Amino acid sequence: MLRKSFLAALAATALAVGTLPAAAQETVKIGIITPLTGPFASTGKQHETAARLYMQQHGTTVAGKKIELIIRDDAGRAENTARIASELIQNDKVSFIAGFGLTPLAMATAPIATNAKVPMIVMMAGTSIITERSPYIVRTSFTLGQSAVIIADWAAKNKVKKVVTLVTDYAPGHDAEKSFVDQFKSKGGEIVESIRVPIQNPDYAPFLQRVLDAKPDALYVFVPSGQGSILMKQYVERGLDKSGIRLIGTGDITDDDILNGFGDAAIGVITAHMYSTAHPSAMNKEYVAAFKKLNPSLRPNFASVGAYDGMHLIYEALKKTNGKTDGDALIAAMKGLKWESPRGPISIDPETRDIVQTIYIRKVEKKDGELYNVEFESFPDVKDPVKAAKK
Ligand code: VNL
């Protein structure tokens, strides 16, 4: 058996040497499109660092092909994302497009992936519907519903009776609101008010005053990664930290990238999410150390693992296709893959191409002078609840 495959390999090598010049190792290109400038630049920096780290650790040859990474900045604007995706596919001949820091960027690009039959790996955007927009989309980030349902259950079980919800007014915010509200009400909770705040230049102060006046047991929040700082600043300025109203949310609000800047007012905030810098596995400790070594100005957040695992997905799919870059073969290879991520065990649902993962409940605590999301309860194998409800 061994001998046979050795001979086969030898024959293949002879063939390759016979037909190709020695230096012409075929290249497979991966195009990452992510916001490296503008208000969501932290996501792009996390994506870039994590993808480079993955390649540093796992090499640049997969199934005999040389892997080349191209990283392009879309500044968080959907018209840029779609144009860059077309350029990468037509001019650079990339075999994968990846990244997608915000839902509208992924939505604008989905038809391009479908037309070109190029796998599109969503490393951040979290609205449920995205994976239904193209059979070539696979997601390695999360959906908002995954965390929203878990924190709603936690609230209902922990003496939270009345909640005001506050979300950013775009698709993932609407998912985060609906999944929380439906689940919390089904467990007997009451929603006092649901507030939506614009994504551009958000000013939370007037809304926070309304929360103070409504006196709920808790304020439930979703804001996209990077925007939590403004909210926390205004939260403290309005005295909500001393009001007795608990702050809960999906983990986007206590983003590890900016959490340290929140100050002690953030201590005790409870969120549900799929990744924490403080996740206590050996793999994550190694990941955090290597990440900080590569980019000392950043602490890896949940965007980073979306990119790190997206690269793993691409590498493993290429191994399964023996380096073949046919889009349909790659997508088939990705379905059902399972592996250990720095966040914990994850897999790709073969039916939906969406991620299945553990969701953790976490509390902000101070350790050695730094703020962390410390996990204290976990729920394994969580699928996107929005898609599950449609079946
Ligand atoms: C999205 C969802 C973006 C969650 C986020 O940060 C986030 C999105 C930029 O789907 O647009 O934390």
Side-chain angles (χ1 to χ4, degrees), residues 35 40 42-43 100-106 122 124-127 130 139 141-142 144 170-173 199 222-227 250-253 255 273 302-303:
F40 298 100
S42 77
T43 294
F100 311 102
L102 297 150
T103 290
L105 316 183
V122 175
M124 181 62 160
T127 303
I130 291 172
R139 175 155 38 203
S141 50
F142 53 86
L144 276 308
Y170 77 130
I199 189 168
F222 162 77
V223 293
S225 176
Q227 286 198 338
T250 62
D252 309 78
I253 170 79
D255 175 358
H273 219 36
F302 58 93

PDB file of all heavy atoms in Angstrom, residues 35 40 42-43 100-106 122 124-127 130 139 141-142 144 170-173 199 222-227 250-253 255 273 302-303, ligand 1:
ATOM      1  N   PRO A  35     -11.966  45.987   5.871  1.00  0.00           N
ATOM      2  CA  PRO A  35     -11.767  47.422   6.137  1.00  0.00           C
ATOM      3  C   PRO A  35     -10.446  47.676   6.891  1.00  0.00           C
ATOM      4  O   PRO A  35     -10.337  47.357   8.059  1.00  0.00           O
ATOM      5  CB  PRO A  35     -12.946  47.808   7.035  1.00  0.00           C
ATOM      6  CG  PRO A  35     -13.870  46.629   7.067  1.00  0.00           C
ATOM      7  CD  PRO A  35     -13.061  45.435   6.703  1.00  0.00           C
ATOM      8  N   PHE A  40     -14.187  51.088  10.755  1.00  0.00           N
ATOM      9  CA  PHE A  40     -14.124  49.664  11.111  1.00  0.00           C
ATOM     10  C   PHE A  40     -12.745  49.063  10.829  1.00  0.00           C
ATOM     11  O   PHE A  40     -12.596  47.866  10.623  1.00  0.00           O
ATOM     12  CB  PHE A  40     -15.237  48.897  10.397  1.00  0.00           C
ATOM     13  CG  PHE A  40     -16.594  49.398  10.818  1.00  0.00           C
ATOM     14  CD1 PHE A  40     -17.306  50.285  10.014  1.00  0.00           C
ATOM     15  CD2 PHE A  40     -17.122  49.054  12.048  1.00  0.00           C
ATOM     16  CE1 PHE A  40     -18.535  50.779  10.425  1.00  0.00           C
ATOM     17  CE2 PHE A  40     -18.360  49.538  12.467  1.00  0.00           C
ATOM     18  CZ  PHE A  40     -19.069  50.412  11.652  1.00  0.00           C
ATOM     19  N   SER A  42     -10.342  48.412  12.726  1.00  0.00           N
ATOM     20  CA  SER A  42      -9.819  47.422  13.678  1.00  0.00           C
ATOM     21  C   SER A  42     -10.105  46.003  13.168  1.00  0.00           C
ATOM     22  O   SER A  42      -9.279  45.100  13.323  1.00  0.00           O
ATOM     23  CB  SER A  42     -10.393  47.626  15.084  1.00  0.00           C
ATOM     24  OG  SER A  42     -11.710  47.144  15.174  1.00  0.00           O
ATOM     25  N   THR A  43     -11.252  45.820  12.504  1.00  0.00           N
ATOM     26  CA  THR A  43     -11.575  44.489  11.963  1.00  0.00           C
ATOM     27  C   THR A  43     -10.555  44.080  10.903  1.00  0.00           C
ATOM     28  O   THR A  43     -10.077  42.949  10.884  1.00  0.00           O
ATOM     29  CB  THR A  43     -13.005  44.488  11.374  1.00  0.00           C
ATOM     30  OG1 THR A  43     -13.927  44.677  12.447  1.00  0.00           O
ATOM     31  CG2 THR A  43     -13.323  43.177  10.671  1.00  0.00           C
ATOM     32  N   PHE A 100     -14.739  40.380   4.525  1.00  0.00           N
ATOM     33  CA  PHE A 100     -16.120  40.857   4.698  1.00  0.00           C
ATOM     34  C   PHE A 100     -16.402  41.262   6.143  1.00  0.00           C
ATOM     35  O   PHE A 100     -16.995  40.525   6.918  1.00  0.00           O
ATOM     36  CB  PHE A 100     -17.131  39.832   4.134  1.00  0.00           C
ATOM     37  CG  PHE A 100     -16.727  39.403   2.758  1.00  0.00           C
ATOM     38  CD1 PHE A 100     -16.099  38.184   2.538  1.00  0.00           C
ATOM     39  CD2 PHE A 100     -16.871  40.283   1.704  1.00  0.00           C
ATOM     40  CE1 PHE A 100     -15.654  37.834   1.273  1.00  0.00           C
ATOM     41  CE2 PHE A 100     -16.438  39.939   0.433  1.00  0.00           C
ATOM     42  CZ  PHE A 100     -15.822  38.712   0.222  1.00  0.00           C
ATOM     43  N   GLY A 101     -15.959  42.474   6.453  1.00  0.00           N
ATOM     44  CA  GLY A 101     -16.016  42.997   7.810  1.00  0.00           C
ATOM     45  C   GLY A 101     -17.390  43.440   8.267  1.00  0.00           C
ATOM     46  O   GLY A 101     -17.602  43.612   9.466  1.00  0.00           O
ATOM     47  N   LEU A 102     -18.319  43.643   7.337  1.00  0.00           N
ATOM     48  CA  LEU A 102     -19.666  44.094   7.696  1.00  0.00           C
ATOM     49  C   LEU A 102     -20.670  43.419   6.770  1.00  0.00           C
ATOM     50  O   LEU A 102     -20.353  43.127   5.612  1.00  0.00           O
ATOM     51  CB  LEU A 102     -19.794  45.616   7.519  1.00  0.00           C
ATOM     52  CG  LEU A 102     -18.911  46.487   8.405  1.00  0.00           C
ATOM     53  CD1 LEU A 102     -18.575  47.791   7.698  1.00  0.00           C
ATOM     54  CD2 LEU A 102     -19.607  46.777   9.735  1.00  0.00           C
ATOM     55  N   THR A 103     -21.886  43.247   7.259  1.00  0.00           N
ATOM     56  CA  THR A 103     -22.927  42.579   6.470  1.00  0.00           C
ATOM     57  C   THR A 103     -23.147  43.197   5.087  1.00  0.00           C
ATOM     58  O   THR A 103     -23.184  42.459   4.089  1.00  0.00           O
ATOM     59  CB  THR A 103     -24.243  42.526   7.265  1.00  0.00           C
ATOM     60  OG1 THR A 103     -24.052  41.608   8.344  1.00  0.00           O
ATOM     61  CG2 THR A 103     -25.417  42.079   6.414  1.00  0.00           C
ATOM     62  N   PRO A 104     -23.287  44.523   4.964  1.00  0.00           N
ATOM     63  CA  PRO A 104     -23.558  45.060   3.614  1.00  0.00           C
ATOM     64  C   PRO A 104     -22.436  44.748   2.618  1.00  0.00           C
ATOM     65  O   PRO A 104     -22.701  44.615   1.422  1.00  0.00           O
ATOM     66  CB  PRO A 104     -23.663  46.578   3.847  1.00  0.00           C
ATOM     67  CG  PRO A 104     -23.964  46.729   5.307  1.00  0.00           C
ATOM     68  CD  PRO A 104     -23.322  45.568   5.996  1.00  0.00           C
ATOM     69  N   LEU A 105     -21.220  44.603   3.103  1.00  0.00           N
ATOM     70  CA  LEU A 105     -20.083  44.296   2.227  1.00  0.00           C
ATOM     71  C   LEU A 105     -20.201  42.870   1.695  1.00  0.00           C
ATOM     72  O   LEU A 105     -19.909  42.594   0.524  1.00  0.00           O
ATOM     73  CB  LEU A 105     -18.761  44.467   2.983  1.00  0.00           C
ATOM     74  CG  LEU A 105     -18.596  45.709   3.859  1.00  0.00           C
ATOM     75  CD1 LEU A 105     -17.204  45.747   4.463  1.00  0.00           C
ATOM     76  CD2 LEU A 105     -18.877  46.975   3.072  1.00  0.00           C
ATOM     77  N   ALA A 106     -20.633  41.961   2.556  1.00  0.00           N
ATOM     78  CA  ALA A 106     -20.820  40.564   2.142  1.00  0.00           C
ATOM     79  C   ALA A 106     -22.006  40.449   1.190  1.00  0.00           C
ATOM     80  O   ALA A 106     -21.935  39.744   0.176  1.00  0.00           O
ATOM     81  CB  ALA A 106     -21.038  39.679   3.369  1.00  0.00           C
ATOM     82  N   VAL A 122     -16.703  34.163   4.624  1.00  0.00           N
ATOM     83  CA  VAL A 122     -17.112  35.300   5.448  1.00  0.00           C
ATOM     84  C   VAL A 122     -16.447  35.175   6.818  1.00  0.00           C
ATOM     85  O   VAL A 122     -16.748  34.259   7.583  1.00  0.00           O
ATOM     86  CB  VAL A 122     -18.644  35.384   5.564  1.00  0.00           C
ATOM     87  CG1 VAL A 122     -19.057  36.485   6.529  1.00  0.00           C
ATOM     88  CG2 VAL A 122     -19.253  35.625   4.185  1.00  0.00           C
ATOM     89  N   MET A 124     -16.237  37.753   9.174  1.00  0.00           N
ATOM     90  CA  MET A 124     -16.734  38.644  10.220  1.00  0.00           C
ATOM     91  C   MET A 124     -18.246  38.833  10.174  1.00  0.00           C
ATOM     92  O   MET A 124     -18.926  38.652  11.175  1.00  0.00           O
ATOM     93  CB  MET A 124     -16.023  40.005  10.136  1.00  0.00           C
ATOM     94  CG  MET A 124     -16.440  41.002  11.202  1.00  0.00           C
ATOM     95  SD  MET A 124     -16.056  40.414  12.871  1.00  0.00           S
ATOM     96  CE  MET A 124     -16.088  41.962  13.786  1.00  0.00           C
ATOM     97  N   ALA A 125     -18.780  39.238   9.032  1.00  0.00           N
ATOM     98  CA  ALA A 125     -20.200  39.628   8.961  1.00  0.00           C
ATOM     99  C   ALA A 125     -21.092  38.540   9.551  1.00  0.00           C
ATOM    100  O   ALA A 125     -20.878  37.352   9.320  1.00  0.00           O
ATOM    101  CB  ALA A 125     -20.577  39.911   7.519  1.00  0.00           C
ATOM    102  N   GLY A 126     -22.118  38.958  10.324  1.00  0.00           N
ATOM    103  CA  GLY A 126     -22.855  37.998  11.144  1.00  0.00           C
ATOM    104  C   GLY A 126     -24.357  37.905  10.938  1.00  0.00           C
ATOM    105  O   GLY A 126     -25.045  37.250  11.728  1.00  0.00           O
ATOM    106  N   THR A 127     -24.894  38.540   9.893  1.00  0.00           N
ATOM    107  CA  THR A 127     -26.343  38.435   9.669  1.00  0.00           C
ATOM    108  C   THR A 127     -26.679  37.048   9.122  1.00  0.00           C
ATOM    109  O   THR A 127     -26.001  36.549   8.218  1.00  0.00           O
ATOM    110  CB  THR A 127     -26.805  39.534   8.689  1.00  0.00           C
ATOM    111  OG1 THR A 127     -26.427  40.796   9.221  1.00  0.00           O
ATOM    112  CG2 THR A 127     -28.313  39.501   8.498  1.00  0.00           C
ATOM    113  N   ILE A 130     -26.882  35.961   5.134  1.00  0.00           N
ATOM    114  CA  ILE A 130     -25.736  36.055   4.212  1.00  0.00           C
ATOM    115  C   ILE A 130     -25.440  34.727   3.508  1.00  0.00           C
ATOM    116  O   ILE A 130     -25.280  34.694   2.284  1.00  0.00           O
ATOM    117  CB  ILE A 130     -24.476  36.561   4.956  1.00  0.00           C
ATOM    118  CG1 ILE A 130     -24.653  38.022   5.350  1.00  0.00           C
ATOM    119  CG2 ILE A 130     -23.220  36.392   4.101  1.00  0.00           C
ATOM    120  CD1 ILE A 130     -23.559  38.562   6.255  1.00  0.00           C
ATOM    121  N   ARG A 139     -19.192  30.454   6.088  1.00  0.00           N
ATOM    122  CA  ARG A 139     -18.912  31.442   7.139  1.00  0.00           C
ATOM    123  C   ARG A 139     -18.071  30.838   8.260  1.00  0.00           C
ATOM    124  O   ARG A 139     -18.368  29.763   8.751  1.00  0.00           O
ATOM    125  CB  ARG A 139     -20.225  31.970   7.711  1.00  0.00           C
ATOM    126  CG  ARG A 139     -20.021  32.921   8.888  1.00  0.00           C
ATOM    127  CD  ARG A 139     -21.135  33.912   9.132  1.00  0.00           C
ATOM    128  NE  ARG A 139     -22.475  33.438   8.927  1.00  0.00           N
ATOM    129  CZ  ARG A 139     -23.509  34.257   8.661  1.00  0.00           C
ATOM    130  NH1 ARG A 139     -23.325  35.557   8.566  1.00  0.00           N
ATOM    131  NH2 ARG A 139     -24.716  33.764   8.490  1.00  0.00           N
ATOM    132  N   SER A 141     -17.237  33.080  10.920  1.00  0.00           N
ATOM    133  CA  SER A 141     -17.355  34.027  12.037  1.00  0.00           C
ATOM    134  C   SER A 141     -18.409  33.550  13.033  1.00  0.00           C
ATOM    135  O   SER A 141     -18.106  32.746  13.932  1.00  0.00           O
ATOM    136  CB  SER A 141     -17.658  35.426  11.517  1.00  0.00           C
ATOM    137  OG  SER A 141     -18.733  35.432  10.590  1.00  0.00           O
ATOM    138  N   PHE A 142     -19.642  33.975  12.859  1.00  0.00           N
ATOM    139  CA  PHE A 142     -20.709  33.707  13.840  1.00  0.00           C
ATOM    140  C   PHE A 142     -21.989  34.260  13.244  1.00  0.00           C
ATOM    141  O   PHE A 142     -21.956  34.977  12.239  1.00  0.00           O
ATOM    142  CB  PHE A 142     -20.417  34.438  15.166  1.00  0.00           C
ATOM    143  CG  PHE A 142     -20.158  35.917  14.956  1.00  0.00           C
ATOM    144  CD1 PHE A 142     -21.203  36.830  14.915  1.00  0.00           C
ATOM    145  CD2 PHE A 142     -18.867  36.395  14.719  1.00  0.00           C
ATOM    146  CE1 PHE A 142     -20.964  38.180  14.669  1.00  0.00           C
ATOM    147  CE2 PHE A 142     -18.626  37.745  14.471  1.00  0.00           C
ATOM    148  CZ  PHE A 142     -19.686  38.635  14.449  1.00  0.00           C
ATOM    149  N   LEU A 144     -25.386  36.545  14.765  1.00  0.00           N
ATOM    150  CA  LEU A 144     -25.799  37.286  15.964  1.00  0.00           C
ATOM    151  C   LEU A 144     -26.766  36.471  16.804  1.00  0.00           C
ATOM    152  O   LEU A 144     -26.740  36.513  18.035  1.00  0.00           O
ATOM    153  CB  LEU A 144     -26.429  38.627  15.566  1.00  0.00           C
ATOM    154  CG  LEU A 144     -25.452  39.775  15.316  1.00  0.00           C
ATOM    155  CD1 LEU A 144     -24.501  39.940  16.488  1.00  0.00           C
ATOM    156  CD2 LEU A 144     -24.645  39.587  14.053  1.00  0.00           C
ATOM    157  N   TYR A 170     -29.001  48.279  11.570  1.00  0.00           N
ATOM    158  CA  TYR A 170     -28.776  47.624  10.269  1.00  0.00           C
ATOM    159  C   TYR A 170     -28.919  46.123  10.488  1.00  0.00           C
ATOM    160  O   TYR A 170     -29.174  45.685  11.617  1.00  0.00           O
ATOM    161  CB  TYR A 170     -27.455  48.060   9.632  1.00  0.00           C
ATOM    162  CG  TYR A 170     -26.162  47.474  10.164  1.00  0.00           C
ATOM    163  CD1 TYR A 170     -25.222  46.920   9.288  1.00  0.00           C
ATOM    164  CD2 TYR A 170     -25.857  47.481  11.524  1.00  0.00           C
ATOM    165  CE1 TYR A 170     -24.021  46.403   9.739  1.00  0.00           C
ATOM    166  CE2 TYR A 170     -24.652  46.951  11.979  1.00  0.00           C
ATOM    167  CZ  TYR A 170     -23.749  46.408  11.089  1.00  0.00           C
ATOM    168  OH  TYR A 170     -22.570  45.897  11.540  1.00  0.00           O
ATOM    169  N   ALA A 171     -28.776  45.346   9.409  1.00  0.00           N
ATOM    170  CA  ALA A 171     -29.211  43.942   9.441  1.00  0.00           C
ATOM    171  C   ALA A 171     -28.743  43.128  10.661  1.00  0.00           C
ATOM    172  O   ALA A 171     -29.567  42.479  11.311  1.00  0.00           O
ATOM    173  CB  ALA A 171     -28.812  43.252   8.145  1.00  0.00           C
ATOM    174  N   PRO A 172     -27.441  43.133  11.022  1.00  0.00           N
ATOM    175  CA  PRO A 172     -27.060  42.296  12.174  1.00  0.00           C
ATOM    176  C   PRO A 172     -27.685  42.786  13.482  1.00  0.00           C
ATOM    177  O   PRO A 172     -27.986  41.977  14.365  1.00  0.00           O
ATOM    178  CB  PRO A 172     -25.527  42.399  12.216  1.00  0.00           C
ATOM    179  CG  PRO A 172     -25.178  43.576  11.392  1.00  0.00           C
ATOM    180  CD  PRO A 172     -26.268  43.747  10.382  1.00  0.00           C
ATOM    181  N   GLY A 173     -27.903  44.094  13.586  1.00  0.00           N
ATOM    182  CA  GLY A 173     -28.590  44.645  14.761  1.00  0.00           C
ATOM    183  C   GLY A 173     -30.026  44.151  14.827  1.00  0.00           C
ATOM    184  O   GLY A 173     -30.533  43.823  15.904  1.00  0.00           O
ATOM    185  N   ILE A 199     -25.964  53.677  12.309  1.00  0.00           N
ATOM    186  CA  ILE A 199     -24.586  53.157  12.291  1.00  0.00           C
ATOM    187  C   ILE A 199     -23.568  54.281  12.065  1.00  0.00           C
ATOM    188  O   ILE A 199     -22.452  54.223  12.545  1.00  0.00           O
ATOM    189  CB  ILE A 199     -24.426  52.025  11.242  1.00  0.00           C
ATOM    190  CG1 ILE A 199     -23.058  51.341  11.384  1.00  0.00           C
ATOM    191  CG2 ILE A 199     -24.649  52.526   9.817  1.00  0.00           C
ATOM    192  CD1 ILE A 199     -22.918  50.050  10.613  1.00  0.00           C
ATOM    193  N   PHE A 222     -26.441  45.488  21.247  1.00  0.00           N
ATOM    194  CA  PHE A 222     -25.548  45.079  20.157  1.00  0.00           C
ATOM    195  C   PHE A 222     -25.041  46.323  19.447  1.00  0.00           C
ATOM    196  O   PHE A 222     -25.840  47.144  18.971  1.00  0.00           O
ATOM    197  CB  PHE A 222     -26.231  44.193  19.104  1.00  0.00           C
ATOM    198  CG  PHE A 222     -25.424  44.154  17.815  1.00  0.00           C
ATOM    199  CD1 PHE A 222     -24.275  43.380  17.727  1.00  0.00           C
ATOM    200  CD2 PHE A 222     -25.751  44.962  16.729  1.00  0.00           C
ATOM    201  CE1 PHE A 222     -23.484  43.396  16.571  1.00  0.00           C
ATOM    202  CE2 PHE A 222     -24.965  44.983  15.571  1.00  0.00           C
ATOM    203  CZ  PHE A 222     -23.831  44.198  15.496  1.00  0.00           C
ATOM    204  N   VAL A 223     -23.733  46.493  19.395  1.00  0.00           N
ATOM    205  CA  VAL A 223     -23.107  47.465  18.495  1.00  0.00           C
ATOM    206  C   VAL A 223     -21.973  46.725  17.798  1.00  0.00           C
ATOM    207  O   VAL A 223     -21.388  45.813  18.376  1.00  0.00           O
ATOM    208  CB  VAL A 223     -22.530  48.705  19.237  1.00  0.00           C
ATOM    209  CG1 VAL A 223     -23.636  49.542  19.847  1.00  0.00           C
ATOM    210  CG2 VAL A 223     -21.510  48.307  20.284  1.00  0.00           C
ATOM    211  N   PRO A 224     -21.676  47.068  16.521  1.00  0.00           N
ATOM    212  CA  PRO A 224     -20.609  46.341  15.834  1.00  0.00           C
ATOM    213  C   PRO A 224     -19.242  46.592  16.469  1.00  0.00           C
ATOM    214  O   PRO A 224     -19.011  47.637  17.072  1.00  0.00           O
ATOM    215  CB  PRO A 224     -20.667  46.881  14.407  1.00  0.00           C
ATOM    216  CG  PRO A 224     -21.402  48.171  14.483  1.00  0.00           C
ATOM    217  CD  PRO A 224     -22.310  48.079  15.664  1.00  0.00           C
ATOM    218  N   SER A 225     -18.366  45.617  16.290  1.00  0.00           N
ATOM    219  CA  SER A 225     -17.001  45.670  16.798  1.00  0.00           C
ATOM    220  C   SER A 225     -16.381  47.043  16.539  1.00  0.00           C
ATOM    221  O   SER A 225     -16.449  47.560  15.426  1.00  0.00           O
ATOM    222  CB  SER A 225     -16.173  44.593  16.079  1.00  0.00           C
ATOM    223  OG  SER A 225     -14.835  44.659  16.468  1.00  0.00           O
ATOM    224  N   GLY A 226     -15.795  47.623  17.573  1.00  0.00           N
ATOM    225  CA  GLY A 226     -15.128  48.917  17.436  1.00  0.00           C
ATOM    226  C   GLY A 226     -15.976  50.070  17.936  1.00  0.00           C
ATOM    227  O   GLY A 226     -15.458  51.107  18.337  1.00  0.00           O
ATOM    228  N   GLN A 227     -17.326  49.913  17.933  1.00  0.00           N
ATOM    229  CA  GLN A 227     -18.188  51.030  18.338  1.00  0.00           C
ATOM    230  C   GLN A 227     -18.526  51.039  19.830  1.00  0.00           C
ATOM    231  O   GLN A 227     -19.171  51.972  20.314  1.00  0.00           O
ATOM    232  CB  GLN A 227     -19.475  51.037  17.502  1.00  0.00           C
ATOM    233  CG  GLN A 227     -19.241  51.525  16.074  1.00  0.00           C
ATOM    234  CD  GLN A 227     -20.522  51.957  15.368  1.00  0.00           C
ATOM    235  OE1 GLN A 227     -21.608  51.559  15.735  1.00  0.00           O
ATOM    236  NE2 GLN A 227     -20.368  52.777  14.343  1.00  0.00           N
ATOM    237  N   THR A 250     -24.597  40.819  23.239  1.00  0.00           N
ATOM    238  CA  THR A 250     -23.729  39.908  22.503  1.00  0.00           C
ATOM    239  C   THR A 250     -22.313  40.428  22.745  1.00  0.00           C
ATOM    240  O   THR A 250     -22.129  41.592  23.127  1.00  0.00           O
ATOM    241  CB  THR A 250     -24.054  39.914  20.994  1.00  0.00           C
ATOM    242  OG1 THR A 250     -23.819  41.237  20.482  1.00  0.00           O
ATOM    243  CG2 THR A 250     -25.502  39.523  20.724  1.00  0.00           C
ATOM    244  N   GLY A 251     -21.296  39.582  22.524  1.00  0.00           N
ATOM    245  CA  GLY A 251     -19.929  39.952  22.883  1.00  0.00           C
ATOM    246  C   GLY A 251     -19.323  41.062  22.048  1.00  0.00           C
ATOM    247  O   GLY A 251     -18.203  41.504  22.314  1.00  0.00           O
ATOM    248  N   ASP A 252     -20.055  41.551  21.058  1.00  0.00           N
ATOM    249  CA  ASP A 252     -19.540  42.636  20.210  1.00  0.00           C
ATOM    250  C   ASP A 252     -19.277  43.903  21.032  1.00  0.00           C
ATOM    251  O   ASP A 252     -18.368  44.664  20.728  1.00  0.00           O
ATOM    252  CB  ASP A 252     -20.533  42.939  19.091  1.00  0.00           C
ATOM    253  CG  ASP A 252     -20.949  41.686  18.340  1.00  0.00           C
ATOM    254  OD1 ASP A 252     -21.789  40.916  18.863  1.00  0.00           O
ATOM    255  OD2 ASP A 252     -20.414  41.449  17.248  1.00  0.00           O
ATOM    256  N   ILE A 253     -20.077  44.109  22.080  1.00  0.00           N
ATOM    257  CA  ILE A 253     -19.916  45.322  22.886  1.00  0.00           C
ATOM    258  C   ILE A 253     -18.612  45.287  23.695  1.00  0.00           C
ATOM    259  O   ILE A 253     -17.927  46.298  23.795  1.00  0.00           O
ATOM    260  CB  ILE A 253     -21.165  45.563  23.803  1.00  0.00           C
ATOM    261  CG1 ILE A 253     -20.938  46.674  24.829  1.00  0.00           C
ATOM    262  CG2 ILE A 253     -21.627  44.343  24.561  1.00  0.00           C
ATOM    263  CD1 ILE A 253     -21.081  48.032  24.282  1.00  0.00           C
ATOM    264  N   ASP A 255     -15.822  43.861  22.915  1.00  0.00           N
ATOM    265  CA  ASP A 255     -14.753  43.526  21.967  1.00  0.00           C
ATOM    266  C   ASP A 255     -13.374  43.584  22.641  1.00  0.00           C
ATOM    267  O   ASP A 255     -12.975  44.627  23.160  1.00  0.00           O
ATOM    268  CB  ASP A 255     -14.882  44.574  20.843  1.00  0.00           C
ATOM    269  CG  ASP A 255     -13.803  44.515  19.802  1.00  0.00           C
ATOM    270  OD1 ASP A 255     -12.881  43.690  19.918  1.00  0.00           O
ATOM    271  OD2 ASP A 255     -13.901  45.330  18.867  1.00  0.00           O
ATOM    272  N   HIS A 273     -20.781  35.071  23.673  1.00  0.00           N
ATOM    273  CA  HIS A 273     -20.040  35.170  22.413  1.00  0.00           C
ATOM    274  C   HIS A 273     -19.211  33.927  22.180  1.00  0.00           C
ATOM    275  O   HIS A 273     -19.104  33.069  23.041  1.00  0.00           O
ATOM    276  CB  HIS A 273     -19.150  36.411  22.416  1.00  0.00           C
ATOM    277  CG  HIS A 273     -19.104  37.115  21.086  1.00  0.00           C
ATOM    278  ND1 HIS A 273     -20.184  37.217  20.252  1.00  0.00           N
ATOM    279  CD2 HIS A 273     -18.093  37.762  20.439  1.00  0.00           C
ATOM    280  CE1 HIS A 273     -19.850  37.898  19.167  1.00  0.00           C
ATOM    281  NE2 HIS A 273     -18.589  38.229  19.245  1.00  0.00           N
ATOM    282  N   PHE A 302     -12.626  38.700  18.406  1.00  0.00           N
ATOM    283  CA  PHE A 302     -13.409  37.667  17.701  1.00  0.00           C
ATOM    284  C   PHE A 302     -13.279  37.773  16.185  1.00  0.00           C
ATOM    285  O   PHE A 302     -13.456  36.785  15.482  1.00  0.00           O
ATOM    286  CB  PHE A 302     -14.874  37.673  18.155  1.00  0.00           C
ATOM    287  CG  PHE A 302     -15.611  38.974  17.966  1.00  0.00           C
ATOM    288  CD1 PHE A 302     -16.354  39.203  16.812  1.00  0.00           C
ATOM    289  CD2 PHE A 302     -15.584  39.956  18.941  1.00  0.00           C
ATOM    290  CE1 PHE A 302     -17.058  40.390  16.643  1.00  0.00           C
ATOM    291  CE2 PHE A 302     -16.281  41.154  18.776  1.00  0.00           C
ATOM    292  CZ  PHE A 302     -17.012  41.374  17.622  1.00  0.00           C
ATOM    293  N   ALA A 303     -12.943  38.945  15.650  1.00  0.00           N
ATOM    294  CA  ALA A 303     -12.698  39.041  14.202  1.00  0.00           C
ATOM    295  C   ALA A 303     -11.464  38.230  13.828  1.00  0.00           C
ATOM    296  O   ALA A 303     -11.416  37.597  12.771  1.00  0.00           O
ATOM    297  CB  ALA A 303     -12.504  40.503  13.795  1.00  0.00           C
TER     298      ALA A 303
HETATM  299  C1  VNL B   1     -21.193  42.769  11.897  1.00  0.00           C
HETATM  300  C2  VNL B   1     -21.627  41.961  12.946  1.00  0.00           C
HETATM  301  C3  VNL B   1     -20.093  43.627  12.097  1.00  0.00           C
HETATM  302  C4  VNL B   1     -20.980  42.021  14.183  1.00  0.00           C
HETATM  303  C5  VNL B   1     -19.464  43.672  13.323  1.00  0.00           C
HETATM  304  O1  VNL B   1     -18.402  44.457  13.578  1.00  0.00           O
HETATM  305  C6  VNL B   1     -19.918  42.873  14.364  1.00  0.00           C
HETATM  306  C7  VNL B   1     -21.886  42.764  10.607  1.00  0.00           C
HETATM  307  C8  VNL B   1     -17.812  45.235  12.575  1.00  0.00           C
HETATM  308  O2  VNL B   1     -22.469  41.706  10.251  1.00  0.00           O
HETATM  309  O3  VNL B   1     -21.895  43.818   9.943  1.00  0.00           O
HETATM  310  O4  VNL B   1     -19.308  42.973  15.566  1.00  0.00           O
END
